[in-house]
């Protein structure tokens, strides 16, 4: 499934949910995923900067 299709499906699902607690959990999960991605990128830059940059041609 393409990422755009997945996003559309996910937003449709959220629009159909009327339970506020479930929505709070969805948004907490999304927030944690975003934070995790940011932390991963920072760690990669700090620990292995050569892995986070484009390959250098010699």
């Amino acid at each position: 499934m393409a990422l755009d299709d997945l996003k559309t499906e996910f937003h449709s699902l959220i629009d159909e949910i009327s339970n506020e607690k479930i929505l709070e959990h969805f948004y907490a999960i999304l927030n944690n995923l975003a934070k995790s991605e940011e932390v991963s990128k920072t760690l990669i830059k700090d620990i292995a900067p050569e892995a986070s940059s484009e390959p250098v041609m010699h």
Side-chain angles (χ1 to χ4, degrees), residues 41 44-46 48-54:
K41 286 179 183 178
I44 289 171
K45 280 186 194 175
D46 291 346
E50 65 280 354
S52 65
S53 62
E54 293 186 25

Side-chain angles (χ1 to χ4, degrees), residues 2-38:
L3 184 56
D4 287 334
D5 292 339
L6 186 58
K7 287 180 184 178
T8 301
E9 293 273 335
F10 184 74
H11 286 286
S12 295
L13 177 61
I14 288 175
D15 290 342
E16 293 175 17
I17 295 173
S18 59
N19 185 320
E20 283 188 36
K21 285 292 184 190
I22 292 174
L23 287 175
E24 287 175 18
H25 288 294
F26 267 130
Y27 290 121
I29 290 168
L30 291 176
N31 189 34
N32 288 334
L33 287 172
K35 285 180 185 176
S36 176
E37 184 177 354
E38 289 174 25

